Amino acid sequence: MSYIIDRRLNSKNKSTVNRQRFLRRYRKHIRKAVSDAVDKRSITDMDKGEKISIPSKDISEPLFHHGKGGKNTRVLPGNDQFVSGDHIARPQGGQGQGGSGEGASDSGEGMDEFVFNISQEEFLNFVFEDLALPNLVKRQLAGIDEFEYHRAGFSNEGNPGQINVVRSLRSANARRIALTGKSRKRIRAIEEELKTLKQTDSNKRIELEAELKKLKIRIKKVPWLDNYDLKYNLHVKRPMPTSKAVMFCIMDVSGSMDQNTKDIAKRFFLLLYLFLQRNYKKIEVVFIRHHTSAKEVDEQEFFYSRETGGTIVSSALKLMQEVMVERYPSSEWNIYAAQASDGDNWNDDSGLCQELLSQNILPFCQYFSYIEITNRERQALWHAYQEIQAQFPDTFAMKHLIGAGDIYPVFRELFQKQSV
């Protein structure tokens, strides 16, 4: 009995290939729609699908056809109105009387834009396309639980799915040659002897023919394929080195951060959180809220707590350093941080922030990103961080946001996949 195993990835959704081809073709329109959706959505709706609209002019297919004017010879099928030799008047306007055309007609009919929905999975694929954590390196081998299989020769034992056909047939052929070689050599000798044997020596002929028959029967009894011949592909399991990473999300919730500024900061961190959860398996996120004092909180409190106060940014950096030393040694962990603030800080605290970053944090960090959300003049924290950026150009980045429309472009700039 034959079994047919369907190994296609989309066996139950046969139009998936066509859909993926369509998405690739209209990637520019979809990415623009996704970018607009990220800017407009609320925090809770960030990871849902989206309705995409493509102008009808962009989905028309190119075609070759005769232009206007000239002499055309056409062969038309027979009908009850015309006979051979009749002259048919050219339609008014040269476009024929049928066809849909573009835009609304005088009768009020037209062609709408092509609208379709992309799923949550496809939406997130476009949102996080070509993004990655910078400077991620493989550091940790101990305690890993991921493995991959590698070819390691052949084995005499295995399951039917691992049979190596070529090796098995080669082994069977070698066995048959070894077991029947002597008999075949004797058969060839007997056949040569029968050719030279005289017709009068009938007894000798009968004896040789009996031996020849016996040898051929013996050869046929050798099985064509034996269990001993079966060879199986051998795969061994090797541990896969994995990258352990931690992301510190530091948000300023001081009184100078109005509700709109906090909402922009939360949407940025939610985008970052979705990106990390979707693209990386071995990553931990540490949420830190701060005003005059900093506190490590859980996800719920980070996004929804209403606690506020004055502003001392260095309190958050000190807490981050303490957590790094205590739980995430830089020898084992890839350390990342993203900080959001309106730039308002205590008078002399910006210098302390600069010192903490340059001496205690950035030398052990893979990447530190700072976004300042304000429409005012830049303040002391921004200028202090500019000196940090000049000192650590590969591991420190800072961007300025004014409104919600800046979130997605800035996010892509901060985490754009770097070319090797």
Side-chain angles (χ1 to χ4, degrees):
M1 179 180 292
S2 299
Y3 294 93
I4 299 176
I5 302 175
D6 190 351
R7 299 186 185 282
R8 294 176 300 173
L9 298 177
N10 58 336
S11 58
K12 294 182 179 179
N13 190 4
K14 296 180 180 178
S15 64
T16 298
V17 175
N18 290 332
R19 180 176 177 83
Q20 291 173 345
R21 186 185 298 117
F22 177 84
L23 294 179
R24 287 197 300 271
R25 189 172 181 178
Y26 297 103
R27 180 177 298 273
K28 181 178 68 175
H29 295 281
I30 298 172
R31 289 191 63 172
K32 184 178 183 307
V34 168
S35 177
D36 294 341
V38 171
D39 297 339
K40 297 174 183 175
R41 287 186 175 192
S42 64
I43 293 175
T44 55
D45 294 336
M46 193 67 78
D47 60 344
K48 295 182 179 179
E50 178 61 21
K51 180 182 291 186
I52 307 296
S53 176
I54 297 178
S56 58
K57 64 182 179 60
D58 290 332
I59 60 174
S60 60
E61 297 285 347
L63 56 90
F64 291 98
H65 62 89
H66 290 291
K68 297 179 181 178
K71 293 183 179 179
N72 299 321
T73 301
R74 298 181 181 180
V75 178
L76 304 175
N79 55 69
D80 57 355
Q81 298 180 18
F82 304 102
V83 296
S84 176
D86 284 351
H87 293 275
I88 302 174
R90 187 185 299 277
Q92 295 295 327
Q95 293 295 329
Q97 296 177 352
S100 56
E102 295 183 357
S105 65
D106 295 338
S107 61
E109 298 178 352
M111 183 178 292
D112 292 334
E113 294 182 340
F114 179 69
V115 179
F116 66 101
N117 288 312
I118 58 174
S119 65
Q120 175 192 24
E121 182 77 12
E122 292 165 341
F123 178 79
L124 293 178
N125 282 340
F126 280 100
V127 169
F128 302 125
E129 187 180 33
D130 299 329
L131 299 181
L133 287 175
N135 308 322
L136 187 66
V137 294
K138 296 176 179 177
R139 293 188 171 192
Q140 185 69 13
L141 276 173
I144 59 177
D145 55 359
E146 291 188 1
F147 298 88
E148 60 182 357
Y149 286 91
H150 289 266
R151 288 283 300 273
F154 306 96
S155 171
N156 292 327
E157 296 180 352
N159 59 59
Q162 294 177 322
I163 288 181
N164 188 299
V165 177
V166 174
R167 283 278 176 171
S168 298
L169 294 180
R170 184 183 298 174
S171 176
N173 193 36
R175 177 182 52 79
R176 291 199 303 273
I177 291 174
L179 293 178
T180 63
K182 188 176 180 180
S183 299
R184 292 180 188 277
K185 184 177 180 181
R186 178 57 183 160
I187 287 175
R188 288 193 295 271
I190 292 174
E191 289 175 344
E192 291 294 328
E193 191 174 352
L194 285 174
K195 290 179 182 177
T196 58
L197 194 64
K198 295 180 179 178
Q199 296 295 331
T200 55
D201 196 355
S202 58
N203 292 333
K204 181 65 173 177
R205 178 177 296 277
I206 292 173
E207 181 181 348
L208 290 176
E209 288 178 347
E211 184 181 1
L212 181 63
K213 183 178 179 181
K214 184 178 179 181
L215 290 172
K216 288 183 176 179
I217 293 174
R218 180 183 299 173
I219 291 176
K220 286 184 178 179
K221 287 184 177 180
V222 176
W224 187 78
L225 185 67
D226 193 89
N227 288 336
Y228 175 80
D229 303 325
L230 295 178
K231 303 297 178 187
Y232 300 89
N233 294 323
L234 178 63
H235 293 84
V236 296
K237 194 167 65 172
R238 293 180 184 173
M240 289 179 60
T242 56
S243 298
K244 295 166 61 178
V246 57
M247 172 66 77
F248 288 87
C249 296
I250 304 172
M251 182 165 64
D252 183 357
V253 293
S254 61
S256 61
M257 296 272 289
D258 58 26
Q259 191 57 41
N260 182 54
T261 307
K262 288 179 181 176
D263 183 63
I264 293 174
K266 290 177 183 178
R267 293 174 67 169
F268 176 85
F269 282 118
L270 181 63
L271 201 60
L272 176 61
Y273 185 61
L274 288 175
F275 165 65
L276 297 176
Q277 293 294 314
R278 177 178 175 80
N279 291 26
Y280 299 95
K281 294 181 180 178
K282 301 291 184 181
I283 192 162
E284 294 188 13
V285 182
V286 177
F287 295 105
I288 296 177
R289 289 168 58 96
H290 79 88
H291 35 82
T292 52
S293 61
K295 182 171 64 172
E296 182 180 352
V297 296
D298 57 15
E299 176 186 343
Q300 181 71 20
E301 187 174 354
F302 183 80
F303 286 107
Y304 299 106
S305 175
R306 303 180 66 181
E307 180 183 350
T308 184
T311 309
I312 298 181
V313 179
S314 62
S315 62
L317 300 180
K318 288 179 181 176
L319 178 59
M320 175 185 169
Q321 183 198 357
E322 293 172 2
V323 176
M324 283 172 53
V325 173
E326 182 180 349
R327 291 162 25 201
Y328 303 104
S330 59
S331 58
E332 298 179 5
W333 290 81
N334 296 283
I335 300 175
Y336 294 87
Q339 180 185 4
S341 172
D342 63 346
D344 187 20
N345 196 11
W346 193 255
N347 292 335
D348 300 328
D349 190 57
S350 297
L352 180 57
C353 294
Q354 182 180 356
E355 182 181 343
L356 285 170
L357 281 174
S358 62
Q359 296 182 8
N360 301 333
I361 295 179
L362 286 178
F364 310 103
C365 257
Q366 302 301 116
Y367 189 68
F368 192 108
S369 60
Y370 169 68
I371 59 168
E372 187 163 303
I373 310 166
T374 182
N375 54 6
R376 300 173 300 176
E377 292 292 330
R378 312 295 167 76
Q379 300 189 18
L381 187 62
W382 177 272
H383 297 300
Y385 278 4
Q386 279 184 319
E387 297 181 16
I388 295 292
Q389 189 177 30
Q391 190 177 354
F392 299 90
D394 297 329
T395 56
F396 186 86
M398 54 191 296
K399 294 291 179 183
H400 177 222
L401 275 72
I402 296 178
D406 300 329
I407 296 175
Y408 188 56
V410 166
F411 185 83
R412 291 197 65 85
E413 286 184 36
L414 290 175
F415 296 100
Q416 186 68 38
K417 187 178 292 183
Q418 299 174 352
S419 59
V420 180

